[in-house]
């Protein structure tokens, strides 16, 4: 699988990434053997970028991912995790986590973007995963914490990066405007953008994507199915969009896009994955993968050939913005070759599950 380099760093990620939120029991239990088999299947398919966070399953995702990777050659894969939520003892457990993960709530999340909190969070992640280092660290969902995230968390991460402890640093959120600020105003190398550059929402073209291009920085795209509405060949009522029931007008729009895809010999989910790569600052699409079957499906979708005429028709019908930067001969992930470093299925959740 082709790799692309996170600009201005030595870190290269495969174009398709493994989102480990779901193996942290997001929304439902994932048996341990399924989680391990999913990571094995991703490895066999050539995926070498794996993303997790303390938030996911109160550490369960990190523990499972670390165990599944432990015997793999460490220099052959990239792992990212996140800071901003410390896991501390829950003095008043209710039995089950209340933030979407089916796990015991013996621990609780505590917001902390301070220098000490960042250092402690990284140490805790290394302990849970059993890894010797993290390749990428994101500030996680700092929507309400800009000052601390920008003034303490990011400088701390930059210091670790400059010391060679971390390869790349950035922020991950469901909004794009603040991510643009991180790229402009902090030492961030890369941002994880959730759901704002998709077939149904191109608002990132107004801020974070042109900022990344201008500053020579990179974007990892997640949430490309917008919580599920773009994940099936034929969208229907009752499917989710941005974690809520999809409004009827968006269902109709998604169906119209699906019909264009069918006319061009492809499918809506394949186009949804390929769409993210139409912008040259996007170096990776990460998808949640719970089972080997989801891995196989996502890899097959990723490899689909998307004809240029599809984007042209979508633009012509007003189904995507006219300024989406698709070029001739787009084959989804094969585009933007200037970023190549070497020759479910969604990474979704609530607004706090980037």
């Amino acid at each position: 699988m082709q790799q692309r380099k996170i600009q201005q760093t030595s870190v290269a990620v495969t174009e398709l990434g493994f989102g480990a939120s779901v193996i942290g029991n997001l929304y439902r239990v994932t048996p341990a053997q399924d989680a391990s088999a999913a990571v094995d299947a991703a490895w066999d398919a050539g995926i070498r970028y794996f993303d997790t966070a303390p938030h996911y399953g109160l550490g369960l995702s990190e523990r499972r991912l670390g165990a599944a990777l432990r015997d793999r050659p460490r220099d052959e894969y990239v792992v990212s995790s996140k800071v901003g939520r410390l896991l501390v003892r829950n003095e008043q457990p209710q039995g089950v986590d209340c933030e979407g993960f089916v796990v015991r709530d013996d621990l609780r999340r505590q917001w902390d973007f301070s220098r000490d909190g960042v250092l402690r969070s990284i140490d805790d992640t290394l302990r849970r995963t059993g890894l010797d280092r993290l390749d990428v660290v994101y500030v996680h969902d700092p929507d309400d914490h800009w000052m601390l995230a920008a003034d303490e968390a990011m400088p701390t991460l930059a210091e670790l990066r400059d010391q060679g402890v971390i390869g790349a640093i950035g922020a991950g959120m469901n909004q794009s405007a603040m991510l643009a600020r991180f790229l402009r105003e902090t030492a961030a190398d890369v941002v994880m953008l959730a759901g704002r550059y998709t077939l149904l929402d191109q608002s990132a073209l107004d801020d974070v994507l042109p900022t990344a291009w201008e500053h020579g920085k990179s974007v990892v795209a997640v949430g490309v199915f917008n919580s599920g509405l773009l994940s099936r060949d034929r969208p229907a009522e009752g499917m989710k969009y941005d974690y809520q029931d999809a409004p009827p007008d968006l269902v109709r729009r998604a169906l119209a896009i699906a019909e264009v895809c069918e006319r061009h010999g492809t499918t809506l989910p394949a186009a949804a994955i390929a769409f993210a790569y139409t912008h040259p600052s996007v170096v990776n699409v990460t998808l949640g993968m719970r089972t080997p079957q989801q891995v196989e499906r996502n890899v097959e979708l990723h490899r689909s050939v998307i004809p240029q005429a599809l984007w042209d028709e979508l633009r012509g019908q007003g189904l995507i913005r006219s300024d989406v930067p698709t070029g001739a001969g787009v084959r989804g992930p094969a585009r933007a070759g200037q970023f190549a470093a070497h020759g479910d299925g969604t990474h979704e959740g609530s607004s706090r599950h980037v």
Side-chain angles (χ1 to χ4, degrees):
M1 187 174 291
Q2 188 177 0
Q3 296 185 340
R4 300 186 189 187
K5 190 175 181 181
I6 296 175
Q7 292 298 283
Q8 304 182 32
T9 79
S10 61
V11 180
V13 294
T14 47
E15 289 183 329
L16 192 63
F18 183 99
S21 61
V22 289
I23 67 171
N25 286 0
L26 178 61
Y27 299 139
R28 64 181 186 272
V29 172
T30 299
Q33 61 269 26
D34 285 356
S36 178
V39 176
D40 289 345
W43 186 275
D44 292 343
I47 293 172
R48 295 294 185 270
Y49 174 52
F50 301 86
D51 176 69
T52 184
H55 173 49
Y56 303 155
L58 293 170
L60 178 62
S61 171
E62 290 185 324
R63 292 194 299 273
R64 284 180 164 178
L65 181 62
L69 292 174
R70 197 157 294 151
D71 295 328
R72 309 286 186 183
R74 184 62 186 91
D75 291 339
E76 293 186 14
Y77 60 89
V78 169
V79 171
S80 61
S81 192
K82 306 180 181 76
V83 297
R85 292 176 176 89
L86 290 175
L87 301 183
V88 300
R89 182 182 176 187
N90 188 355
E91 302 289 352
Q92 297 179 315
Q94 302 298 310
V96 179
D97 179 49
C98 63
E99 294 198 31
F101 295 89
V102 186
V103 294
R104 290 185 57 85
D105 63 344
D106 299 325
L107 300 173
R108 63 178 177 83
R109 302 160 183 87
Q110 177 177 289
W111 291 105
D112 194 335
F113 293 92
S114 69
R115 175 182 175 82
D116 288 346
V118 166
L119 296 175
R120 177 180 166 188
S121 182
I122 292 173
D123 284 344
D124 288 348
T125 289
L126 293 176
R127 175 179 51 80
R128 284 189 292 265
T129 59
L131 298 173
D132 63 340
R133 69 179 187 275
L134 296 174
D135 303 287
V136 184
V137 177
Y138 299 104
V139 176
H140 199 184
D141 293 332
D143 302 67
D144 301 322
H145 308 274
W146 164 258
M147 292 299 294
L148 269 176
D151 293 345
E152 285 205 42
M154 289 303 298
T156 302
L157 293 178
E159 180 182 332
L160 296 174
R161 179 198 59 195
D162 295 345
Q163 293 171 353
V165 177
I166 298 170
I169 62 173
M173 306 172 67
N174 284 271
Q175 59 155 297
S176 59
M178 190 179 286
L179 289 181
R181 289 192 68 186
F182 274 102
L183 293 178
R184 284 194 309 266
E185 302 176 31
T186 78
D189 306 301
V190 58
V191 293
M192 180 170 276
L193 173 68
R196 304 285 74 86
Y197 191 61
T198 73
L199 285 170
L200 293 173
D201 182 347
Q202 291 105 58
S203 56
L205 284 172
D206 297 326
D207 39 49
V208 69
L209 289 173
T211 300
W213 180 254
E214 177 185 354
H215 291 270
K217 297 184 177 183
S218 298
V219 175
V220 167
V222 299
V224 298
F225 296 147
N226 282 127
S227 302
L229 186 56
L230 299 174
S231 65
R232 297 182 188 172
D233 293 1
R234 302 287 292 182
E237 298 287 344
M239 297 182 71
K240 299 294 184 182
Y241 175 83
D242 280 5
Y243 326 113
Q244 306 293 328
D245 289 341
D249 62 319
L250 277 181
V251 176
R252 289 192 293 270
R253 185 173 161 213
L255 185 58
I257 295 172
E259 291 171 349
V260 176
C261 291
E262 290 173 3
R263 287 199 292 274
H264 291 275
T266 189
T267 66
L268 181 63
I273 294 173
F275 178 81
Y277 300 106
T278 60
H279 197 281
S281 292
V282 174
V283 296
N284 167 275
V285 170
T286 288
L287 303 172
M289 308 193 203
R290 195 184 297 269
T291 65
Q293 292 74 28
Q294 288 186 357
V295 173
E296 292 166 6
R297 177 178 184 265
N298 287 333
V299 170
E300 181 180 359
L301 291 171
H302 166 75
R303 291 174 175 164
S304 298
V305 176
I306 308 298
Q308 170 65 28
L310 169 65
W311 311 125
D312 293 340
E313 183 170 348
L314 291 176
R315 271 197 299 258
Q317 292 195 25
L319 292 170
I320 61 173
R321 284 173 45 161
S322 61
D323 55 346
V324 169
T326 60
V330 174
R331 182 207 169 275
R335 181 167 162 75
Q338 65 267 38
F339 288 97
H342 313 197
D344 203 325
T346 64
H347 190 57
E348 305 277 12
S350 77
S351 63
R352 297 299 188 182
H353 295 155
V354 175

